[in-house]
Amino acid sequence: MIECVVDGGALLGECPVWSDREQVLYWVDIDGRAVHRYDPSNGEDHARSTPGRPGSFALTRTEGRLLLAMEHRLGWFDWPSGEFTHWLDLEPAGTGNRLNDGRCDPAGRFWVGSMHEDTRAGRSTGLLHRVDPDGTAAVVRGAIGVSNGLAFDDHRMFFADSPRRTVWTFDFDVATGEATGERVFFEFDGLPGKPDGACLDADGCYWIACVYGWAVARVTPAGTVDRLIELPVEKPTMPAFGGPARNVLFVTSIGSGGSMGSAPDQPLAGGLFAIDAGVTGVPEPEYAGDPP
């Protein structure tokens, strides 16, 4: 069953993340410059404005406090007050890049990639950053078109570059944060659209949004697509497992009117969807650093 639980008309919905602490789903509207908080217990979705385009975020050990990647910088976003406090510049301002897909690894490091804001220009100026709990930041990959598809478990890391229609996997060392042994996990040949945001389920399978392809796909650890769930919107952007039992697959999407707007004949575009996928997800790691 597929249900549109928030018909919010987000301009560019992204980065759904379930908080086990709060039993709510946070997500962002990049072009709408807002952080959303959806509570499935009562069906209410509320939004707080941000002073820039929020690409992604991480939960922290402080309830209601997010580590927010916005434009070229990181900062702390306090949900109760809606205040944003600048913390760290990851890239220079004015380059045309903005931060995009990001999440924490199992040790609580925050990984976030960037992209050139005009995707039609075909530039590969994006970088992949790793931010340790002490605030030390390192660039671990360059020459990226649109950084997407980040996911981790205790021994693997996944990463996608949307224009190249490819997802890579790496051997991941949780203790050091090193990702080595890069190899192609799978390519989108035979799949609709392009790779966007992703997550893992409890069986170790990789779920990825097929943006421009009206679907989300599940890929087995062997790199074989074993499920394709069609959606009523052309541009789903990222899946995430949530709900009290983590058995609901939430999916964000792109609406009309933004920088990557969907056609206006899709009334549910920009909505947040909930899918009974028949499997469960894994807990989302929190950033291990201490916000102010």
Side-chain angles (χ1 to χ4, degrees):
M1 182 180 72
I2 301 173
E3 179 184 3
C4 183
V5 293
V6 179
D7 184 13
L11 297 179
L12 208 173
E14 264 287 8
C15 196
V17 175
W18 178 258
S19 169
D20 280 334
R21 286 182 186 271
E22 301 178 65
Q23 293 291 293
V24 297
L25 185 87
Y26 287 99
W27 59 287
V28 301
D29 181 354
I30 296 175
D31 285 348
R33 302 188 177 207
V35 174
H36 286 249
R37 184 180 184 270
Y38 169 66
D39 185 345
S41 70
N42 56 24
E44 293 183 0
D45 181 78
H46 298 282
R48 300 277 194 271
S49 297
T50 58
R53 293 169 295 181
S56 57
F57 62 89
L59 304 171
T60 72
R61 294 176 293 188
T62 301
E63 188 172 306
R65 185 70 58 86
L66 307 176
L67 175 59
L68 187 66
M70 186 179 67
E71 302 295 353
H72 62 285
R73 56 185 175 156
L74 299 181
W76 308 100
F77 184 81
D78 183 70
W79 174 261
S81 68
E83 293 181 357
F84 175 81
T85 303
H86 173 262
W87 179 43
L88 184 66
D89 287 329
L90 290 183
E91 299 185 21
T95 65
N97 274 8
R98 69 163 176 81
L99 297 174
N100 195 48
D101 187 52
R103 73 168 356 117
C104 285
D105 66 27
R109 306 174 190 89
F110 185 57
W111 297 65
V112 60
S114 63
M115 57 175 279
H116 192 270
E117 59 188 355
D118 183 2
T119 57
R120 297 166 297 181
R123 298 182 184 177
S124 295
T125 58
L127 304 172
L128 180 61
H129 305 266
R130 184 189 67 218
V131 183
D132 291 346
D134 65 359
T136 302
V139 175
V140 296
R141 189 182 181 95
I144 300 166
V146 179
S147 180
N148 265 313
L150 278 169
F152 298 87
D153 63 19
D154 288 337
H155 63 279
R156 298 175 301 169
M157 168 181 156
F158 299 88
F159 173 78
D161 189 348
S162 298
R164 295 177 65 180
R165 305 183 78 243
T166 301
V167 180
W168 293 270
T169 188
F170 304 77
D171 300 316
F172 184 67
D173 187 325
V174 175
T176 65
E178 295 298 321
T180 58
E182 174 184 331
R183 57 210 178 266
V184 172
F185 180 50
F186 77 99
E187 300 190 46
F188 256 55
D189 298 338
L191 275 178
K194 299 177 182 180
D196 206 320
C199 67
L200 294 175
D201 66 24
D203 296 324
C205 293
Y206 180 81
W207 290 80
I208 188 153
C210 304
V211 68
Y212 297 94
W214 302 82
V216 292
R218 187 175 88 151
V219 188
T220 70
T224 302
V225 177
D226 71 347
R227 291 184 66 182
L228 188 69
I229 299 177
E230 295 182 353
L231 296 171
V233 291
E234 178 190 10
K235 298 175 182 177
T237 53
M238 186 172 177
F241 285 94
R246 295 192 212 99
N247 61 350
V248 178
L249 187 69
F250 292 101
V251 182
T252 48
S253 65
I254 297 175
S256 60
S259 61
M260 302 172 61
S262 297
D265 60 351
Q266 299 174 46
L268 298 179
L272 173 68
F273 297 87
I275 303 171
D276 180 4
V279 295
T280 59
V282 295
E284 186 71 24
E286 299 171 336
Y287 182 63
D290 293 318

